[in-house]
């Protein structure tokens, strides 16, 4: 009986412990290699490249330029959606909804006027893009995800290198190491 109580208490202790990084990561995205398709990787690479250019040149003082770049990315998503003629269930259940969600976040970004809201919306675009790339099993390039937690926000940005500067804060010149890698090792 003592052993049963000991085992139960150990199980209870482990079930109540802090979440690991891997568990916290799964709240925002998961990687599904079984969904990977080469043509999706090609199209997603175009979106990713354009998005990285927007993110890496993000300057809150020049919202007109950044919003024009986001409008161009919206046009690219529209073109991809218009030319996606796949009727298979994977395209209908994974590719199209993920691409549409990313597009919706980009539209919301263009509508924002407040500086704080623009930063928040860029973060949401990033999380949605990483979620989309994970769902489609993207593997053309490595995707590194960065996270910085401050007293108010939980910032996310992406890169194709293991280190990056924070695009949300021009004053912060520190090089950050990636917190996550999208693809499974």
């Amino acid at each position: 009986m003592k052993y049963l109580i000991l085992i139960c208490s150990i199980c209870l202790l482990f079930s109540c412990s802090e979440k690991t990084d891997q568990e916290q990561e799964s709240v925002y995205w998961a990687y599904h290699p079984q969904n990977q398709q080469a043509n999706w990787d090609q199209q997603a690479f175009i979106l990713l490249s354009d998005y990285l250019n927007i993110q890496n040149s993000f300057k809150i003082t020049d919202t007109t330029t950044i919003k024009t770049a986001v409008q161009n990315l919206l046009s690219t998503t529209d073109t991809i959606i218009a030319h996606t003629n796949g009727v298979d269930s994977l395209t209908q259940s994974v590719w199209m909804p993920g691409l549409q969600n990313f597009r919706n976040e980009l539209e919301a970004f263009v509508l924002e006027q407040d500086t704080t809201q623009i930063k928040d919306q860029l973060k949401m675009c990033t999380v949605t893009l990483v979620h989309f790339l994970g769902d489609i099993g993207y593997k053309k390039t490595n995707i590194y995800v960065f996270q910085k937690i401050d007293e108010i926000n939980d910032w996310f940005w992406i890169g194709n290198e293991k280190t990056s500067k924070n695009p949300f804060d021009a004053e912060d010149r520190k090089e950050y190491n990636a917190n996550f890698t999208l693809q499974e090792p």
Side-chain angles (χ1 to χ4, degrees):
M1 183 70 166
K2 289 180 188 179
Y3 293 111
L4 182 60
I5 292 174
L6 179 63
I7 290 173
C8 288
S9 61
I10 289 173
C11 290
L12 181 63
L13 178 68
F14 281 115
S15 68
C16 295
S17 66
E18 178 102 6
K19 288 183 177 180
T20 65
D21 285 346
Q22 196 68 18
E23 290 171 323
Q24 290 172 351
E25 176 182 347
S26 67
V27 170
Y28 297 107
W29 60 82
Y31 185 66
H32 302 282
Q34 72 276 10
N35 294 341
Q36 197 277 329
Q37 295 184 18
N39 62 327
W40 288 359
D41 272 9
Q42 282 301 110
Q43 293 174 339
F45 180 74
I46 295 166
L47 298 173
L48 179 62
S49 295
D50 288 352
Y51 187 76
L52 284 171
N53 288 335
I54 291 167
Q55 176 192 271
N56 293 338
S57 62
F58 185 72
K59 293 191 179 25
I60 208 64
T61 57
D62 190 10
T63 57
T64 304
T65 301
I66 197 82
K67 286 186 178 190
T68 301
V70 172
Q71 287 284 10
N72 292 337
L73 184 53
L74 274 167
S75 296
T76 302
T77 61
D78 288 343
T79 301
I80 291 171
I81 289 171
H83 289 96
T84 300
N85 54 6
V87 292
D88 63 283
S89 62
L90 197 57
T91 300
Q92 295 303 318
S93 66
V94 176
W95 174 259
M96 292 302 287
L99 186 57
Q100 188 61 50
N101 287 340
F102 178 58
R103 188 188 183 294
N104 292 345
E105 291 297 338
L106 292 172
E107 282 183 333
F109 181 91
V110 172
L111 296 175
E112 293 298 343
Q113 300 298 319
D114 178 60
T115 303
T116 303
Q117 295 301 319
I118 290 172
K119 287 181 178 182
D120 286 343
Q121 195 56 46
L122 182 67
K123 177 182 77 172
M124 290 305 302
C125 288
T126 301
V127 170
T128 304
L129 179 60
V130 173
H131 182 77
F132 170 63
L133 294 173
D135 279 350
I136 66 169
Y138 179 82
K139 70 176 190 177
K140 184 171 176 67
T141 58
N142 287 333
I143 306 296
Y144 297 101
V145 183
F146 301 85
Q147 178 182 26
K148 180 184 179 201
I149 301 171
D150 61 26
E151 53 281 340
I152 300 172
N153 293 301
D154 193 5
W155 301 108
F156 288 97
W157 69 94
I158 57 175
N160 48 11
E161 309 244 344
K162 290 182 180 183
T163 61
S164 174
K165 292 184 178 167
N166 181 356
F168 295 101
D169 186 357
E171 307 282 317
D172 184 2
R173 300 316 325 151
K174 177 183 170 188
E175 283 283 329
Y176 289 88
N177 291 320
N179 299 82
F180 311 103
T181 302
L182 176 62
Q183 296 89 338
E184 293 178 333

Short mmCIF file of all heavy atoms in Angstrom, two decimals, residues 68-115:
data_model
loop_
_atom_site.label_atom_id
_atom_site.label_comp_id
_atom_site.label_asym_id
_atom_site.label_seq_id
_atom_site.Cartn_x
_atom_site.Cartn_y
_atom_site.Cartn_z
N THR A 68 2.98 49.11 -47.44
CA THR A 68 3.03 48.85 -48.88
C THR A 68 3.64 47.47 -49.14
O THR A 68 3.14 46.71 -49.97
CB THR A 68 3.86 49.94 -49.60
OG1 THR A 68 3.24 51.21 -49.36
CG2 THR A 68 3.94 49.68 -51.09
N ALA A 69 4.68 47.13 -48.40
CA ALA A 69 5.29 45.80 -48.55
C ALA A 69 4.31 44.71 -48.13
O ALA A 69 4.24 43.65 -48.77
CB ALA A 69 6.57 45.73 -47.73
N VAL A 70 3.53 44.95 -47.09
CA VAL A 70 2.53 43.98 -46.66
C VAL A 70 1.43 43.86 -47.72
O VAL A 70 0.96 42.76 -48.01
CB VAL A 70 1.95 44.34 -45.28
CG1 VAL A 70 0.77 43.45 -44.92
CG2 VAL A 70 3.03 44.23 -44.20
N GLN A 71 1.04 44.98 -48.34
CA GLN A 71 0.05 44.93 -49.43
C GLN A 71 0.57 44.07 -50.59
O GLN A 71 -0.19 43.30 -51.18
CB GLN A 71 -0.27 46.35 -49.95
CG GLN A 71 -1.11 47.16 -49.03
CD GLN A 71 -2.57 46.74 -49.07
OE1 GLN A 71 -2.97 45.73 -49.64
NE2 GLN A 71 -3.41 47.52 -48.42
N ASN A 72 1.85 44.20 -50.89
CA ASN A 72 2.45 43.37 -51.95
C ASN A 72 2.42 41.90 -51.57
O ASN A 72 2.15 41.03 -52.42
CB ASN A 72 3.88 43.81 -52.25
CG ASN A 72 3.93 45.17 -52.91
OD1 ASN A 72 2.96 45.62 -53.53
ND2 ASN A 72 5.05 45.86 -52.77
N LEU A 73 2.68 41.58 -50.30
CA LEU A 73 2.60 40.20 -49.83
C LEU A 73 1.16 39.70 -49.90
O LEU A 73 0.93 38.53 -50.24
CB LEU A 73 3.17 40.08 -48.42
CG LEU A 73 3.25 38.69 -47.82
CD1 LEU A 73 4.00 37.71 -48.72
CD2 LEU A 73 3.91 38.74 -46.45
N LEU A 74 0.21 40.55 -49.59
CA LEU A 74 -1.20 40.18 -49.74
C LEU A 74 -1.52 39.83 -51.20
O LEU A 74 -2.24 38.85 -51.46
CB LEU A 74 -2.11 41.33 -49.28
CG LEU A 74 -2.43 41.39 -47.80
CD1 LEU A 74 -3.05 42.73 -47.44
CD2 LEU A 74 -3.33 40.26 -47.40
N SER A 75 -0.99 40.61 -52.11
CA SER A 75 -1.20 40.31 -53.54
C SER A 75 -0.61 38.95 -53.90
O SER A 75 -1.20 38.19 -54.68
CB SER A 75 -0.57 41.39 -54.41
OG SER A 75 -1.21 42.62 -54.21
N THR A 76 0.55 38.65 -53.34
CA THR A 76 1.17 37.34 -53.59
C THR A 76 0.30 36.22 -53.05
O THR A 76 0.09 35.20 -53.73
CB THR A 76 2.58 37.28 -52.95
OG1 THR A 76 3.38 38.34 -53.48
CG2 THR A 76 3.25 35.95 -53.23
N THR A 77 -0.25 36.39 -51.86
CA THR A 77 -1.13 35.35 -51.30
C THR A 77 -2.38 35.20 -52.17
O THR A 77 -2.83 34.08 -52.40
CB THR A 77 -1.53 35.62 -49.84
OG1 THR A 77 -2.24 36.84 -49.75
CG2 THR A 77 -0.34 35.63 -48.91
N ASP A 78 -2.91 36.31 -52.67
CA ASP A 78 -4.08 36.24 -53.55
C ASP A 78 -3.76 35.44 -54.82
O ASP A 78 -4.57 34.63 -55.27
CB ASP A 78 -4.56 37.63 -53.93
CG ASP A 78 -5.23 38.36 -52.77
OD1 ASP A 78 -5.61 37.70 -51.78
OD2 ASP A 78 -5.35 39.60 -52.86
N THR A 79 -2.60 35.70 -55.38
CA THR A 79 -2.18 34.98 -56.59
C THR A 79 -2.06 33.49 -56.32
O THR A 79 -2.52 32.65 -57.11
CB THR A 79 -0.84 35.54 -57.11
OG1 THR A 79 -1.01 36.94 -57.38
CG2 THR A 79 -0.39 34.82 -58.37
N ILE A 80 -1.43 33.14 -55.20
CA ILE A 80 -1.27 31.72 -54.85
C ILE A 80 -2.63 31.07 -54.62
O ILE A 80 -2.89 29.96 -55.11
CB ILE A 80 -0.35 31.56 -53.63
CG1 ILE A 80 1.09 31.95 -53.99
CG2 ILE A 80 -0.40 30.13 -53.09
CD1 ILE A 80 2.04 32.02 -52.81
N ILE A 81 -3.51 31.76 -53.92
CA ILE A 81 -4.85 31.21 -53.68
C ILE A 81 -5.59 31.01 -55.00
O ILE A 81 -6.21 29.98 -55.23
CB ILE A 81 -5.65 32.12 -52.71
CG1 ILE A 81 -5.08 32.00 -51.30
CG2 ILE A 81 -7.13 31.76 -52.73
CD1 ILE A 81 -5.65 33.00 -50.30
N ALA A 82 -5.51 31.99 -55.90
CA ALA A 82 -6.21 31.90 -57.19
C ALA A 82 -5.68 30.76 -58.06
O ALA A 82 -6.44 30.17 -58.82
CB ALA A 82 -6.09 33.23 -57.94
N HIS A 83 -4.40 30.46 -57.92
CA HIS A 83 -3.80 29.41 -58.76
C HIS A 83 -3.75 28.04 -58.08
O HIS A 83 -3.21 27.10 -58.64
CB HIS A 83 -2.40 29.83 -59.21
CG HIS A 83 -2.44 30.93 -60.21
ND1 HIS A 83 -2.31 32.25 -59.85
CD2 HIS A 83 -2.65 30.92 -61.56
CE1 HIS A 83 -2.40 33.01 -60.92
NE2 HIS A 83 -2.62 32.24 -61.97
N THR A 84 -4.28 27.96 -56.88
CA THR A 84 -4.34 26.66 -56.20
C THR A 84 -5.60 25.97 -56.67
O THR A 84 -6.71 26.34 -56.31
CB THR A 84 -4.36 26.83 -54.67
OG1 THR A 84 -3.17 27.51 -54.28
CG2 THR A 84 -4.43 25.48 -53.97
N ASN A 85 -5.40 24.98 -57.51
CA ASN A 85 -6.56 24.29 -58.05
C ASN A 85 -6.64 22.86 -57.53
O ASN A 85 -7.38 22.05 -58.08
CB ASN A 85 -6.53 24.30 -59.58
CG ASN A 85 -5.22 23.75 -60.12
OD1 ASN A 85 -4.39 23.27 -59.37
ND2 ASN A 85 -5.03 23.86 -61.42
N GLY A 86 -5.90 22.59 -56.47
CA GLY A 86 -5.93 21.25 -55.90
C GLY A 86 -7.26 20.98 -55.22
O GLY A 86 -7.75 21.78 -54.45
N VAL A 87 -7.83 19.86 -55.55
CA VAL A 87 -9.10 19.49 -54.93
C VAL A 87 -8.91 18.35 -53.94
O VAL A 87 -9.88 17.85 -53.39
CB VAL A 87 -10.16 19.10 -55.99
CG1 VAL A 87 -10.56 20.32 -56.79
CG2 VAL A 87 -9.64 18.00 -56.88
N ASP A 88 -7.66 17.95 -53.72
CA ASP A 88 -7.42 16.87 -52.77
C ASP A 88 -7.73 17.35 -51.36
O ASP A 88 -7.73 18.54 -51.06
CB ASP A 88 -5.99 16.33 -52.89
CG ASP A 88 -4.96 17.38 -52.53
OD1 ASP A 88 -4.70 18.27 -53.36
OD2 ASP A 88 -4.42 17.31 -51.41
N SER A 89 -8.01 16.41 -50.50
CA SER A 89 -8.44 16.76 -49.14
C SER A 89 -7.35 17.46 -48.34
O SER A 89 -7.65 18.32 -47.51
CB SER A 89 -8.93 15.51 -48.41
OG SER A 89 -7.88 14.58 -48.27
N LEU A 90 -6.09 17.11 -48.55
CA LEU A 90 -5.00 17.75 -47.82
C LEU A 90 -4.90 19.23 -48.18
O LEU A 90 -4.71 20.08 -47.31
CB LEU A 90 -3.68 17.02 -48.08
CG LEU A 90 -2.54 17.28 -47.11
CD1 LEU A 90 -2.95 16.95 -45.68
CD2 LEU A 90 -1.31 16.48 -47.50
N THR A 91 -5.04 19.54 -49.45
CA THR A 91 -5.01 20.94 -49.87
C THR A 91 -6.18 21.70 -49.27
O THR A 91 -6.02 22.81 -48.78
CB THR A 91 -5.05 21.04 -51.41
OG1 THR A 91 -3.91 20.37 -51.95
CG2 THR A 91 -5.06 22.49 -51.87
N GLN A 92 -7.33 21.08 -49.26
CA GLN A 92 -8.53 21.74 -48.74
C GLN A 92 -8.52 21.86 -47.21
O GLN A 92 -9.06 22.81 -46.66
CB GLN A 92 -9.79 20.99 -49.20
CG GLN A 92 -10.00 21.03 -50.69
CD GLN A 92 -10.07 22.45 -51.25
OE1 GLN A 92 -10.69 23.32 -50.66
NE2 GLN A 92 -9.42 22.68 -52.37
N SER A 93 -7.90 20.91 -46.53
CA SER A 93 -7.95 20.93 -45.06
C SER A 93 -6.72 21.57 -44.41
O SER A 93 -6.79 21.98 -43.26
CB SER A 93 -8.13 19.51 -44.52
OG SER A 93 -7.00 18.72 -44.81
N VAL A 94 -5.60 21.65 -45.12
CA VAL A 94 -4.38 22.18 -44.52
C VAL A 94 -3.89 23.44 -45.23
O VAL A 94 -3.74 24.50 -44.61
CB VAL A 94 -3.26 21.10 -44.52
CG1 VAL A 94 -1.95 21.67 -44.00
CG2 VAL A 94 -3.68 19.90 -43.69
N TRP A 95 -3.62 23.34 -46.51
CA TRP A 95 -3.00 24.42 -47.26
C TRP A 95 -3.90 25.67 -47.32
O TRP A 95 -3.49 26.76 -46.92
CB TRP A 95 -2.64 23.96 -48.67
CG TRP A 95 -2.13 25.05 -49.57
CD1 TRP A 95 -2.83 25.70 -50.53
CD2 TRP A 95 -0.82 25.63 -49.57
NE1 TRP A 95 -2.05 26.65 -51.14
CE2 TRP A 95 -0.81 26.62 -50.57
CE3 TRP A 95 0.33 25.41 -48.83
CZ2 TRP A 95 0.32 27.38 -50.84
CZ3 TRP A 95 1.45 26.17 -49.11
CH2 TRP A 95 1.45 27.15 -50.10
N MET A 96 -5.10 25.52 -47.83
CA MET A 96 -5.98 26.67 -48.03
C MET A 96 -6.36 27.37 -46.72
O MET A 96 -6.26 28.60 -46.65
CB MET A 96 -7.22 26.26 -48.83
CG MET A 96 -6.91 25.88 -50.26
SD MET A 96 -6.11 27.19 -51.21
CE MET A 96 -7.49 28.29 -51.46
N PRO A 97 -6.80 26.66 -45.68
CA PRO A 97 -7.14 27.38 -44.44
C PRO A 97 -5.92 28.08 -43.81
O PRO A 97 -6.05 29.20 -43.32
CB PRO A 97 -7.66 26.29 -43.50
CG PRO A 97 -8.04 25.16 -44.39
CD PRO A 97 -7.15 25.24 -45.58
N GLY A 98 -4.76 27.44 -43.85
CA GLY A 98 -3.57 28.06 -43.28
C GLY A 98 -3.16 29.31 -44.03
O GLY A 98 -2.82 30.33 -43.43
N LEU A 99 -3.20 29.23 -45.35
CA LEU A 99 -2.85 30.39 -46.17
C LEU A 99 -3.87 31.51 -45.97
O LEU A 99 -3.50 32.68 -45.86
CB LEU A 99 -2.77 29.98 -47.65
CG LEU A 99 -2.30 31.04 -48.63
CD1 LEU A 99 -0.92 31.57 -48.24
CD2 LEU A 99 -2.27 30.47 -50.04
N GLN A 100 -5.13 31.16 -45.87
CA GLN A 100 -6.17 32.17 -45.65
C GLN A 100 -6.02 32.82 -44.27
O GLN A 100 -6.19 34.04 -44.14
CB GLN A 100 -7.57 31.55 -45.80
CG GLN A 100 -8.68 32.57 -45.77
CD GLN A 100 -8.59 33.59 -46.90
OE1 GLN A 100 -8.44 33.22 -48.06
NE2 GLN A 100 -8.66 34.86 -46.56
N ASN A 101 -5.69 32.05 -43.25
CA ASN A 101 -5.46 32.63 -41.91
C ASN A 101 -4.31 33.62 -41.93
O ASN A 101 -4.38 34.70 -41.33
CB ASN A 101 -5.20 31.54 -40.88
CG ASN A 101 -6.43 30.76 -40.53
OD1 ASN A 101 -7.55 31.21 -40.75
ND2 ASN A 101 -6.24 29.56 -39.99
N PHE A 102 -3.21 33.24 -42.61
CA PHE A 102 -2.07 34.15 -42.73
C PHE A 102 -2.48 35.42 -43.46
O PHE A 102 -2.15 36.53 -43.05
CB PHE A 102 -0.91 33.45 -43.44
CG PHE A 102 0.30 34.31 -43.65
CD1 PHE A 102 0.95 34.92 -42.59
CD2 PHE A 102 0.80 34.52 -44.93
CE1 PHE A 102 2.06 35.73 -42.79
CE2 PHE A 102 1.92 35.32 -45.14
CZ PHE A 102 2.55 35.92 -44.07
N ARG A 103 -3.23 35.26 -44.53
CA ARG A 103 -3.71 36.41 -45.30
C ARG A 103 -4.59 37.32 -44.43
O ARG A 103 -4.47 38.54 -44.49
CB ARG A 103 -4.50 35.93 -46.52
CG ARG A 103 -4.85 37.03 -47.46
CD ARG A 103 -5.81 36.60 -48.56
NE ARG A 103 -6.04 37.70 -49.46
CZ ARG A 103 -6.66 38.83 -49.15
NH1 ARG A 103 -7.11 39.02 -47.92
NH2 ARG A 103 -6.82 39.78 -50.04
N ASN A 104 -5.45 36.74 -43.61
CA ASN A 104 -6.31 37.53 -42.73
C ASN A 104 -5.49 38.36 -41.74
O ASN A 104 -5.82 39.53 -41.47
CB ASN A 104 -7.28 36.63 -41.97
CG ASN A 104 -8.30 35.99 -42.87
OD1 ASN A 104 -8.50 36.39 -44.02
ND2 ASN A 104 -8.95 34.95 -42.38
N GLU A 105 -4.42 37.77 -41.21
CA GLU A 105 -3.55 38.52 -40.28
C GLU A 105 -2.84 39.67 -41.00
O GLU A 105 -2.66 40.75 -40.44
CB GLU A 105 -2.54 37.59 -39.62
CG GLU A 105 -3.15 36.61 -38.65
CD GLU A 105 -3.83 37.25 -37.44
OE1 GLU A 105 -3.53 38.40 -37.10
OE2 GLU A 105 -4.69 36.57 -36.85
N LEU A 106 -2.44 39.43 -42.26
CA LEU A 106 -1.81 40.51 -43.04
C LEU A 106 -2.80 41.65 -43.28
O LEU A 106 -2.44 42.82 -43.20
CB LEU A 106 -1.29 39.97 -44.37
CG LEU A 106 -0.11 39.01 -44.31
CD1 LEU A 106 0.16 38.41 -45.69
CD2 LEU A 106 1.14 39.69 -43.76
N GLU A 107 -4.06 41.29 -43.59
CA GLU A 107 -5.08 42.33 -43.77
C GLU A 107 -5.28 43.15 -42.50
O GLU A 107 -5.42 44.37 -42.56
CB GLU A 107 -6.41 41.69 -44.18
CG GLU A 107 -6.47 41.29 -45.63
CD GLU A 107 -7.84 40.73 -46.01
OE1 GLU A 107 -8.55 40.19 -45.12
OE2 GLU A 107 -8.18 40.83 -47.19
N ALA A 108 -5.30 42.49 -41.37
CA ALA A 108 -5.45 43.18 -40.09
C ALA A 108 -4.25 44.11 -39.85
O ALA A 108 -4.42 45.21 -39.32
CB ALA A 108 -5.60 42.17 -38.96
N PHE A 109 -3.07 43.67 -40.24
CA PHE A 109 -1.87 44.49 -40.08
C PHE A 109 -2.02 45.80 -40.84
O PHE A 109 -1.72 46.88 -40.32
CB PHE A 109 -0.63 43.73 -40.58
CG PHE A 109 0.65 44.50 -40.43
CD1 PHE A 109 1.40 44.38 -39.29
CD2 PHE A 109 1.09 45.36 -41.43
CE1 PHE A 109 2.58 45.09 -39.13
CE2 PHE A 109 2.25 46.07 -41.29
CZ PHE A 109 3.00 45.94 -40.14
N VAL A 110 -2.49 45.72 -42.08
CA VAL A 110 -2.63 46.92 -42.92
C VAL A 110 -3.63 47.90 -42.30
O VAL A 110 -3.47 49.12 -42.43
CB VAL A 110 -3.06 46.52 -44.35
CG1 VAL A 110 -3.41 47.73 -45.18
CG2 VAL A 110 -1.96 45.72 -45.02
N LEU A 111 -4.62 47.41 -41.60
CA LEU A 111 -5.65 48.27 -41.02
C LEU A 111 -5.21 48.99 -39.74
O LEU A 111 -5.82 49.99 -39.36
CB LEU A 111 -6.91 47.46 -40.73
CG LEU A 111 -7.60 46.86 -41.96
CD1 LEU A 111 -8.76 45.98 -41.53
CD2 LEU A 111 -8.06 47.96 -42.91
N GLU A 112 -4.17 48.49 -39.08
CA GLU A 112 -3.74 49.07 -37.81
C GLU A 112 -3.12 50.45 -38.00
O GLU A 112 -2.42 50.70 -38.97
CB GLU A 112 -2.73 48.16 -37.10
CG GLU A 112 -3.30 46.86 -36.62
CD GLU A 112 -4.40 47.01 -35.59
OE1 GLU A 112 -4.55 48.09 -34.98
OE2 GLU A 112 -5.13 46.03 -35.39
N GLN A 113 -3.39 51.34 -37.05
CA GLN A 113 -2.85 52.70 -37.08
C GLN A 113 -1.92 52.98 -35.90
O GLN A 113 -0.94 53.70 -36.04
CB GLN A 113 -3.99 53.72 -37.08
CG GLN A 113 -4.92 53.60 -38.26
CD GLN A 113 -4.22 53.83 -39.60
OE1 GLN A 113 -3.39 54.72 -39.72
NE2 GLN A 113 -4.55 53.02 -40.58
N ASP A 114 -2.24 52.42 -34.75
CA ASP A 114 -1.50 52.65 -33.52
C ASP A 114 -0.18 51.87 -33.54
O ASP A 114 -0.14 50.70 -33.94
CB ASP A 114 -2.36 52.20 -32.33
CG ASP A 114 -1.63 52.38 -31.01
OD1 ASP A 114 -1.28 53.52 -30.68
OD2 ASP A 114 -1.42 51.35 -30.34
N THR A 115 0.90 52.51 -33.10
CA THR A 115 2.22 51.90 -33.11
C THR A 115 2.26 50.58 -32.33
O THR A 115 2.80 49.59 -32.82
CB THR A 115 3.26 52.88 -32.50
OG1 THR A 115 3.22 54.10 -33.24
CG2 THR A 115 4.65 52.31 -32.54
#
